Every structure is written in structure tokens, then in C-alpha cells.
Amino acid sequence: MDNPRLDYLRDKVKKLPFQPGIYIMKDKKGQIIYIGKAKALKNRVSSYFRSVDKHTPKVYRMVENVWDFEYIVTSSEFEALVLECSFIKQHSPKYNILLKDDKGYHYIRIGGGEYGKITASHQPLKDGARYLGPYLSGYVVKQTVDEVNKVFLLPTCNRNFPQEIGKQRPCLNYHIKQCMAPCSGKISPEEYAEALEEAVSFLKGSSTQIQKVLTEKMIQASENLQFEKAARYRDRIRAIQGLQENQKVVSIRYEEEDVIALVQSSIKCCAVVLQFRDYRLVDKEYFMLDEMGEFSEEALFSADEQKKNQAAEKVLQEMRTQFVLRYYDMKGSVPKSVVLDGQPSCQQELEEYLSKKAGRSVQLLIPQKGDQMKLLSMAKENASQQIAEQTRRTSREISALDELARLLGLQKVPNYIEAYDISNIGSETIVAGMVVFEGGRPLKGAYRKFSVRSVQGKPDDYASMREVIIRRLERYSQHKEEGVGFGHLPDLILLDGGRGHVAAVKPIVQQMGFSIPVFGMAKDDRHRTRTIATEDGELSVSSFRSAFDLLTSIQDEVHRFSITYSRQKHASRAMDSVLRSVEGIGEKRAKNLFLRFRTLKAMEAATLEQLEETPGMTHLTACNLYRYLHEKTNEACGEETEN
């Protein structure tokens, strides 16, 4: 690292106390670039200046710019939390999680004219339309506009009325009863205006009041024997009632609560907040975050998987705490309960801080099952979708990789995964296949095949796997300047096998100086991924549905790839044995024939000229092969074979 002050900073750390407090990192100009809190200042601050090359990119950049630091000792971790929050708000350091409420205002637009439409708008214009608002949430505006158009059967198409009435057939929305189809010419301006005003009243008032008005109109129309009109009112009432039921989504325990979930990809982290008020979803917000966490030196080089898992979880806990603090500092108001997708770094202190800010009790909930978990799943899906839009990946792929990182306790989401499988047909054909998944998708251009050389006689999966991994990592040293193929180190290595495979391979990886996580994939009786194997035991994947599907895909693909190569190799050996019994065909000619025709059947179907065109073949050798394959009169060669 190009920081001439590292030795000075390491010496200064030695003088820090083992007490709670905050630390303030400054750059060469004396500007504050990062503020953090610590339960024990010496332990926390020293972690920044040890093993700096192992830090995440953002932490590395921050440490690279640290010229000096200050600290303030507090009497408790809670005081450190409050002080950290206050300082971050005051100084806005560039490497802290900083959130901006820059959504602006949103409006609902009611178009003018005989057939005005209801749409969402970012700002009111002087265009003769009516505007309702402003609203802070664009999500709420869009959701409300969609709902009211469906309930009152108002058009959402791009057709202009009355100019285009009768010129085209009604669209699909009419046939699925989501539009009254003024384009058909059967809806008068008066009927349309009535529906539009009812919709505006619904937007301005409560649904209970509009239901009462519609019920009165339905009864009056029925008494006047206007049964078709009465039916339309009845359908609107039912639509409003159905809308109220659908808005519940899933039942929630509290009148008001926020549901917060964080999802990570290899390059992005997204936090989503679902806001529930009056037992219904009223808003959704998302924030793209930069990660700010690191492993301790002990965790990085420990062979203990439990320590690594604990270190990875600690990073997530810190990120969760920082986001909650920044979010409610920005918002000002705090609901009665906040549902989180995991433990924050200091739950008791955070709960106390939020309660003090709200002036009443605030609960932090971390559900493990039930309806609250369904809400968290919905929040995670939304976060995954936001990352997918920015990384051109599907939300399913993002969720799977995020779950896999959590399951394995990895420091970062494994974007580049290599999987290996050994396949053998007898003792003579032992091969291995390596498949690569990048961003949750197969990267077939990076697939590689290996012929195992060191294992002779009885097959030995462990020895075969060791040989393959050694050869792969040695190739990295030769190709690392290229940065692709063997020159690209994986974020994760998966072996098709159990604890024994991991125990055989993991020490080799560490001895060669690589800190790549290694796990096994064990199958059940149905050949599906059952568990993830470690040196010490197994991890169940049953509760990680997206990760389970991804692991199954990887294991199926690496098995398919290796068994296909094994069969090709076996077929090649069998063909080689057959071909080399023909006079004039040796190892090289046999190999060229196999590469061109692949099977004996294809070779039998070939003409003498096609056999002769194979590299290395002569006319005489081609004739010998043709006679051997056909065992009948060979007019092309001008001779007759013996029966």
C-alpha cells in the first residue's frame, strides 16, 4: 500500500485504550474521511492497519488516504453510538454510509377534456389538467394511479379520445374487465365523466365514503329499472372491497412498522425499506450502499470455518446498524417497530437510541418464521430487483448469490465460482471437469477439461482432485497477467463431494498461498444437492431456497460436463484401439481420424476421398481403413476384400 504513514499509525494504535468510543480518520489535509464507533478502541482501530491487502476495496481506499486519526472515549457503547451518529451527521465523511432523501415530489394528474385520464406526474404543468399532491413517494403515486384506474375501469392506453373513438377494436384491458373501452363508442361523455369524478372523489376521500355514495346510486338505478347501470355500480363497489383486501398483502402484527432488508451482490449492496401504516403497505424506498466492513487478521488466516463465518456476519451486522442509524436520522420519525433481516451490531443500544429519538418505545424485531418473514422475503426480492436492474442480472440470480454468501459465511458475494468433478470409466479413463459460474450464470468459455495423470490403477477421487486443483492454481501463475480463464482466480471453489474431498483439497490451496474458500456439494438419493460439506461437518441448504437452486444447477452442470468428457475420452480410447489395428495407422493418424469423425459409424459413412482428406492420411492407408470398415467389394480401391 502506498501510504507512508502506516508505521506511524501502527505505533499510535498501540497507545489506544481497550474502552468504548469513537475514532475519527483524517486525510493529509486534515479533513474527516471516516467516523466509526468501537466497543474496544484499540482492537477496532488496529484492524485497519493490519493485513491491509486483505481489506475490501472501499476499506483499502480509505486506509490508503488516512494521514492521522483522533478518538473520543465514552462510558458505554450506547454513548459511542449516539456520538458517532451526531458526528457523521455534522461532518458527512466520504467513506461512511450517507443517505440522501432526493426523491422530490410527485403528483396525480387528472387530464382535462371529455375523456380525461388519470396518470402519475413529477411536477404540475399549466396544461389545463387538475393535479393532486404533492406526495413524497413516487411508489405510492404509481400504485394509487394503477389501482384507481382498475377500479373505475378508466383507460391507460395511448389513444386520444374522442378523436380515435370507433377507429380500432378495444384492447385486451376491455376483455379482462379492466377498462370500460370508450374507444368502442358505447360510453357517452356523461357516463365517462361520472366515472372519472367518482375516481377523483376516491382519491381525495376515504374508500368508505365513496362506497356509500356508490351504494346509494346502485339502489336508485335499480329502483328506476336501470339494471345495467346498477350492475356497473355493484362491480365498482366490489372492486374497491377487493382492493382493500389485496392491499393487506400479508397480515402484520403492528399498526405501523418498517421492514428493512439488505441484499449484496459482488459489486453492489442494496437496502430496501417497506413502510406499513394502518396495517397496509404505503411506501417502498431503496438505497444503493457501498460496503464498509472488513475481516480481522485472525479471521482471514484462520482455518476455523466458524471464525470466518462469525467475521462475515459481523460485517453485515455493522452495515445493518449503520444503515438504520442513517435512515432514521434522515427521516426524523420512527415507527413503533422495525423489522430487520438479521442482527445489528449492537441491538440493545440501537433500540435505546431509536426509542429516545421517537419519544416512546421502539422495538427491533428479527423474525425467524411466520408472516414477518414473508414481509422480509418481499423486501429482499425488491432489493434483488434493484441490483438486477443496475447489474443486468435477474433478481433470482442476485438473491441466490446473496443467500449463498450468507450460508457459507463469506466476506463478499462469490461472483466468480469454479466447480470441479472427477469422472472415471474403469481405471484407464480418469478425467475432471471444471465449470465456471459468473454472476449466477454458466460462463462456458471458461470451462476446462483435465486428464488425470498421477493416479494409476485403482481410481482415487481424493488424489485426482488434488492433482487437478494443483494444476489449475499453477496455471494461474502463468496466466495471471491475462486476467481471464486460468488467469482469473475464483471467489469460491466447489467440489462435487463431501468432507473428504474438502479435507483433501483445502490444505493444498492454503499451502500454495491462496485464500480461496473451498466447500463440497453432497447429493441425496435423488442426486440433488443435499448439504454443503466443510472440513468439520455439513451445512444444511434446505432453508436457503435460492442458494439451493443455484447449487443444484452448478452440481448438475459440472457432473454433465465431466461425464461427457469421460465418455468422449473412453470412446476415443476404444476407437484408437480399433484404428491402430489397421495397417498404416499409428497414434497420430488415429487421433486425427477421431477428431474429424468422432465415431466409427460416421467413419463408415464416409467416402474413400473423405478418409483420404484427413490430415496425415495417404491413399494406401485410406484404402486399408475403408476395407476394414466395410468388409465388402471395394470398387474405389479396385480390390476385393476377403469374407
Side-chain angles (χ1 to χ4, degrees):
M1 173 178 285
D2 187 21
N3 186 338
R5 298 274 286 183
L6 270 182
D7 290 338
Y8 163 79
L9 295 169
R10 286 167 180 157
D11 287 338
K12 188 170 181 178
V13 165
K14 295 175 183 177
K15 301 173 185 177
L16 288 175
F18 291 96
Q19 291 178 260
I22 68 167
Y23 52 93
I24 304 162
M25 304 291 193
K26 295 183 177 182
D27 63 13
K28 197 170 184 178
K29 296 179 181 179
Q31 294 180 339
I32 296 174
I33 59 174
Y34 185 70
I35 297 171
K37 64 163 178 53
K39 197 171 185 177
L41 282 165
K42 188 169 186 176
N43 291 343
R44 179 62 168 165
V45 178
S46 63
S47 69
Y48 287 102
F49 308 117
R50 293 196 312 260
S51 305
V52 292
D53 291 335
K54 301 295 183 180
H55 287 320
T56 57
K58 187 178 179 184
V59 177
Y60 186 91
R61 290 195 303 272
M62 187 271 288
V63 174
E64 197 172 34
N65 289 298
V66 174
W67 194 256
D68 205 349
F69 66 84
E70 297 176 3
Y71 64 93
I72 300 174
V73 176
T74 60
S75 59
S76 67
E77 191 174 3
F78 173 70
E79 284 188 10
L81 183 74
V82 175
L83 193 59
E84 177 202 33
C85 196
S86 174
F87 268 56
I88 290 174
K89 196 170 184 179
Q90 181 180 347
H91 297 285
S92 299
K94 65 181 293 185
Y95 289 106
N96 283 96
I97 290 176
L98 302 173
L99 307 180
K100 294 181 180 179
D101 191 7
D102 56 357
K103 295 189 299 178
Y105 292 112
H106 301 266
Y107 297 83
I108 297 176
R109 180 183 183 276
I110 300 96
E114 291 181 319
Y115 295 91
K117 297 178 183 178
I118 297 179
T119 56
S121 177
H122 285 290
Q123 57 185 346
L125 302 173
K126 294 181 180 180
D127 56 359
R130 287 178 286 171
Y131 289 86
L132 301 180
Y135 302 93
L136 286 175
S137 172
Y139 173 80
V140 170
V141 169
K142 186 179 183 304
Q143 184 186 52
T144 303
V145 167
D146 289 344
E147 289 172 352
V148 78
N149 281 326
K150 287 178 182 178
V151 168
F152 294 94
L153 306 182
L154 299 175
T156 57
C157 61
N158 294 323
R159 296 177 185 177
N160 295 318
F161 307 121
Q163 294 91 331
E164 296 186 45
I165 289 178
K167 292 186 177 181
Q168 299 181 46
R169 293 180 180 180
C171 64
L172 178 63
N173 282 348
Y174 169 74
H175 297 289
I176 61 176
K177 297 183 178 180
Q178 289 191 2
C179 180
M180 65 176 68
C183 55
S184 66
K186 297 179 181 179
I187 305 297
S188 68
E190 292 75 23
E191 288 178 289
Y192 187 91
E194 182 184 35
L196 183 65
E197 289 308 314
E198 288 171 357
V200 173
S201 298
F202 176 78
L203 291 170
K204 289 181 176 179
S206 67
S207 60
T208 304
Q209 181 62 30
I210 193 64
Q211 283 185 69
K212 184 178 179 181
V213 172
L214 290 173
T215 302
E216 291 173 355
K217 289 184 177 182
M218 179 183 69
I219 294 172
Q220 185 178 357
S222 180
E223 290 175 349
N224 294 335
L225 305 182
Q226 296 174 313
F227 299 116
E228 188 176 344
K229 192 174 184 179
R232 286 202 297 270
Y233 290 130
R234 178 204 62 200
D235 291 343
R236 288 176 193 169
I237 294 168
R238 288 179 177 176
I240 293 171
Q241 292 171 341
L243 179 62
Q244 290 173 329
E245 290 300 315
N246 291 335
Q247 283 175 337
K248 291 180 181 177
V249 187
V250 290
S251 59
I252 64 172
R253 190 181 306 170
Y254 298 93
E255 181 182 359
E256 60 172 27
E257 70 179 17
D258 289 347
V259 178
I260 300 176
L262 273 68
V263 170
Q264 293 174 280
S265 74
S266 58
I267 55 175
K268 298 282 184 181
C269 181
C270 180
V272 160
V273 183
L274 300 180
Q275 295 181 2
F276 290 84
R277 302 294 182 266
D278 296 324
Y279 302 99
R280 59 171 288 191
L281 178 64
V282 298
D283 199 4
K284 176 194 78 172
E285 294 183 281
Y286 72 90
F287 301 87
M288 303 308 297
L289 310 176
D290 289 321
E291 297 181 44
M292 194 65 197
E294 72 285 336
F295 282 120
S296 67
E297 184 178 20
E298 178 186 14
L300 278 168
F301 295 102
S302 172
D304 188 343
E305 289 295 333
Q306 186 177 3
K307 283 187 178 180
K308 288 187 177 181
N309 293 350
Q310 289 172 348
E313 180 58 29
K314 192 174 181 181
V315 171
L316 282 173
Q317 289 176 1
E318 186 63 31
M319 285 182 64
R320 205 171 280 123
T321 299
Q322 290 296 317
F323 175 76
V324 171
L325 284 170
R326 303 292 86 76
Y327 179 75
Y328 289 110
D329 264 353
M330 177 186 74
K331 285 296 175 184
S333 62
V334 186
K336 294 178 181 178
S337 64
V338 177
V339 180
L340 301 177
D341 62 338
Q343 290 282 346
S345 58
C346 47
Q347 182 174 347
Q348 183 178 346
E349 289 80 4
L350 185 58
E351 204 168 55
E352 186 179 348
Y353 176 80
L354 294 177
S355 297
K356 186 176 180 181
K357 187 174 183 65
R360 53 172 162 72
S361 175
V362 174
Q363 287 185 288
L364 291 179
L365 306 176
I366 305 162
Q368 302 300 318
K369 59 182 179 179
D371 288 332
Q372 301 286 50
M373 277 299 292
K374 293 179 183 178
L375 293 175
L376 281 173
S377 296
M378 184 166 66
K380 282 179 175 290
E381 178 61 30
N382 276 272
S384 297
Q385 187 61 43
Q386 293 298 333
I387 295 177
E389 288 179 8
Q390 298 199 22
T391 58
R392 295 185 180 180
R393 294 284 165 179
T394 68
S395 59
R396 187 177 185 85
E397 290 164 348
I398 299 296
S399 296
L401 291 170
D402 178 66
E403 278 193 2
L404 185 60
R406 292 170 186 257
L407 169 65
L408 303 181
L410 303 179
Q411 178 187 9
K412 64 176 183 178
V413 173
N415 184 58
Y416 197 88
I417 301 171
E418 289 182 359
Y420 296 83
D421 185 24
I422 302 296
S423 181
N424 59 75
I425 301 176
S427 60
E428 294 184 356
T429 309
I430 304 176
V431 301
M434 177 191 100
V435 303
V436 175
F437 274 61
E438 185 175 37
R441 298 179 188 176
L443 184 63
K444 295 195 174 183
Y447 286 16
R448 295 292 184 269
K449 302 170 183 176
F450 298 84
S451 293
V452 176
R453 304 165 183 164
S454 62
V455 178
Q456 303 294 330
K458 186 178 180 181
D460 185 337
D461 268 16
Y462 299 157
S464 300
M465 193 71 84
R466 279 195 295 267
E467 178 195 323
V468 169
I469 296 298
I470 290 171
R471 286 166 57 189
R472 187 267 177 266
L473 294 177
E474 285 176 344
R475 290 286 190 90
Y476 171 73
S477 301
Q478 302 167 14
H479 299 276
K480 61 183 177 181
E481 298 300 326
E482 301 167 15
V484 295
F486 282 133
H488 192 309
L489 275 183
D491 301 318
L492 172 66
I493 290 176
L494 295 175
L495 311 174
D496 192 324
R499 294 171 59 183
H501 289 80
V502 178
V505 168
K506 191 171 181 179
I508 296 293
V509 175
Q510 293 173 341
Q511 287 167 19
M512 295 182 72
F514 297 98
S515 56
I516 305 170
V518 179
F519 293 89
M521 300 179 290
K523 290 182 178 178
D524 59 17
D525 296 336
R526 300 185 202 177
H527 296 281
R528 298 183 307 178
T529 306
R530 174 175 56 86
T531 57
I532 288 293
T534 70
E535 282 183 300
D536 306 316
E538 294 183 339
L539 303 172
S540 174
V541 298
S542 58
S543 59
F544 295 84
R545 186 67 217 178
S546 296
F548 171 83
D549 291 341
L550 174 62
L551 288 167
T552 300
S553 297
I554 293 173
Q555 193 168 27
D556 289 347
E557 178 67 358
V558 72
H559 178 72
R560 178 202 66 77
F561 185 65
S562 61
I563 197 69
T564 299
Y565 179 46
S566 179
R567 287 168 180 163
Q568 289 174 349
K569 191 88 171 176
H570 186 70
S572 174
R573 284 180 176 273
M575 186 183 288
D576 183 73
S577 177
V578 170
L579 294 176
R580 291 180 69 173
S581 65
V582 177
E583 185 178 351
I585 296 181
E587 181 180 354
K588 190 171 182 179
R589 284 176 175 171
K591 182 178 180 181
N592 290 340
L593 286 164
F594 175 75
L595 290 174
R596 180 168 185 184
F597 296 102
R598 293 294 179 183
T599 65
L600 286 171
K601 188 174 181 180
M603 212 174 291
E604 287 175 8
T607 64
L608 176 64
E609 288 76 14
Q610 288 172 328
L611 292 175
E612 193 174 342
E613 288 170 0
T614 303
M617 292 289 284
T618 65
H619 177 73
L620 179 60
T621 307
C623 285
N624 291 339
L625 177 59
Y626 195 90
R627 293 191 196 100
Y628 180 87
L629 293 171
H630 293 275
E631 296 183 353
K632 64 182 181 181
T633 300
N634 187 347
E635 296 178 358
C637 291
E639 299 179 19
E640 189 176 283
T641 59
E642 294 181 2
N643 291 325

